[in-house]
Amino acid sequence: MTALPLAAFASRYGATARTLSEPALQLIVLRDDEGGLEASVCPSQGGELSSLRLRHKGQWAELLYRAADYRPAEGWRGKAPLLWPATGRSLLAGRGAGYVFKDHFYPMADHGFIRDLPWEVAGQGSHASGAFTTLRVADTPETRRHYPFGFRLTADYRVSSGAIEIGYTVLAAQDNASPMFFSIGNHITFRTPFLEGTPPAAVRLFTPATLEVVKDAERLPTGEMRAWKLDRPVPLSQMKRNEAVSLTGYPDSTPYVTLQDPGGLGIRLSHSATAMPKQPVVLFNMWGDAAAGYYSPEPWVGLHNSFNLKQGLLHLLPGKEFGWRIRIERTNG
């Protein structure tokens, strides 16, 4: 077998800039030409994954809902915002959206605040094994009004061998006076269908969860869990519309979801973490309206109202780190 020169592999991958015109925003585009995958990241908009395209039968298919579109619009904005330091609602009876820590009330928006902050680019490039970019964000006086901890978050995006991995690292500041508590998730939202000509709600979903976290009318956990099971992939028409189904009880250490367009394009979304809270903890929060064009199998390591329930929380001692990795890859079924 004749060995290919290194340049042949290096040219497979690329990391370039793209400028949106309305509004004027900079994207970082990571490309795997041979693997047929292109991912765009928007540092100024919460450092999120803003577009994910796969090549299928010679044509490019955009997988994310409202991809790379930051124009004002009604309804869910789509794409893939990071949820931190809270997942879901933080609702304290008689006080509203927030929580109490050391006798002080802190306001906390749904899903936290990190998705609203600009991130700085710490590096980007490509080499023989992939394309990458690294983004960072840290606490500010404004974040301390909502969350009284010093922190630094890093997001490492890697495109390689036809797949994308997002590695998040949470670092608790060395001078924090107490262990830092948080939940984490990603509200990644896919277009339905993936391919033109497929009925939107015909996209099939599978996930091997065994338990559902029961919630009340306020979308808060009741403390109960009930059995939940899929024997086979089901069309999204069978999932609840715009009512979250919060799943846990995965038999494997790597919880995952598959989405398959009947036209032949499918993906597997999985995630893993360096630590896990005790049950109850939501590992996928299924939400969306496939018939309206979007569905979001949100990977979580957390729980709704975790700051007030004191459950579903991760804790970091000063100076310690937590790692969470999301992987999206193509699947044939």
Side-chain angles (χ1 to χ4, degrees):
M1 181 180 293
T2 302
L4 292 174
L6 183 62
F9 292 99
S11 63
R12 169 177 177 170
Y13 299 105
T16 57
R18 176 190 171 196
T19 302
L20 300 178
S21 58
E22 185 186 351
L25 297 173
Q26 291 289 321
L27 302 183
I28 298 169
V29 182
L30 307 178
R31 188 184 72 254
D32 177 357
D33 290 332
E34 185 178 321
L37 184 147
E38 182 187 273
S40 298
V41 179
C42 191
S44 66
Q45 301 295 303
E48 70 177 343
L49 181 69
S50 63
S51 171
L52 180 61
R53 301 201 307 154
L54 292 182
R55 192 170 57 234
H56 177 72
K57 296 182 179 180
Q59 302 293 320
W60 285 96
E62 175 61 65
L63 268 58
L64 294 194
Y65 180 65
R66 291 186 175 172
D69 186 353
Y70 289 95
R71 295 171 296 179
E74 294 184 1
W76 172 237
R77 63 188 289 274
K79 296 172 275 295
L82 179 64
L83 313 180
W84 192 87
T87 50
R89 307 185 74 190
S90 298
L91 190 62
L92 185 61
R95 303 291 294 273
Y99 63 102
V100 170
F101 176 64
K102 292 187 175 180
D103 298 322
H104 182 80
F105 177 81
Y106 293 91
M108 180 61 67
D110 288 4
H111 294 317
F113 53 76
I114 208 72
R115 59 180 172 170
D116 299 319
L117 298 182
W119 292 47
E120 71 167 315
V121 179
Q124 70 181 67
S126 61
H127 42 58
S129 59
F132 66 92
T133 187
T134 299
L135 310 182
R136 291 177 182 161
V137 69
D139 63 284
T140 67
E142 177 60 23
T143 68
R144 295 276 187 140
R145 292 184 55 249
H146 303 267
Y147 187 62
F149 297 102
F151 63 83
R152 188 182 72 199
L153 267 63
T154 303
D156 287 303
Y157 290 87
R158 295 288 185 273
V159 164
S160 181
S161 301
I164 180 171
E165 288 195 350
I166 312 171
Y168 296 107
T169 302
V170 180
L171 172 66
Q174 187 70 56
D175 59 357
N176 284 345
S178 304
M180 187 174 82
F181 51 86
F182 59 92
S183 293
I184 192 168
N186 190 297
H187 208 314
I188 188 166
T189 308
F190 293 100
R191 289 177 63 245
T192 53
F194 293 162
L195 301 172
E196 297 298 328
T198 299
V203 173
R204 296 189 299 270
L205 175 145
F206 179 76
T207 188
T210 62
L211 294 170
E212 178 184 357
V213 175
V214 179
K215 302 184 297 300
D216 61 22
E218 294 288 331
R219 309 193 307 277
L220 302 177
T222 66
E224 302 174 88
M225 290 197 284
R226 58 182 169 226
W228 195 92
K229 184 179 181 180
L230 288 180
D231 294 319
R232 63 184 66 86
V234 298
L236 289 176
S237 59
Q238 294 187 23
M239 301 296 289
K240 295 178 181 179
R241 297 178 65 175
N242 284 337
E243 181 180 341
V245 179
S246 304
L247 301 178
T248 188
Y250 284 82
D252 187 27
S253 59
T254 304
Y256 72 90
V257 168
T258 62
L259 289 169
Q260 185 74 28
D261 189 298
L265 180 58
I267 57 145
R268 183 181 191 268
L269 167 65
S270 58
H271 69 101
S272 59
T274 56
M276 280 284 177
K278 295 179 180 179
Q279 290 285 7
V281 57
V282 175
L283 297 179
F284 276 103
N285 194 60
M286 307 290 191
W287 175 87
D289 185 348
Y294 60 93
Y295 199 79
S296 184
E298 308 164 40
W300 282 21
V301 181
L303 189 69
H304 310 73
N305 209 25
S306 57
F307 283 16
N308 292 307
L309 294 175
K310 312 301 182 188
Q311 295 177 313
L313 288 172
L314 295 146
H315 296 82
L316 278 185
L317 293 172
K320 298 300 183 180
E321 290 184 345
F322 162 82
W324 186 45
R325 186 167 298 275
I326 296 173
R327 179 177 175 86
I328 304 171
E329 56 196 317
R330 195 186 304 251
T331 181
N332 294 322

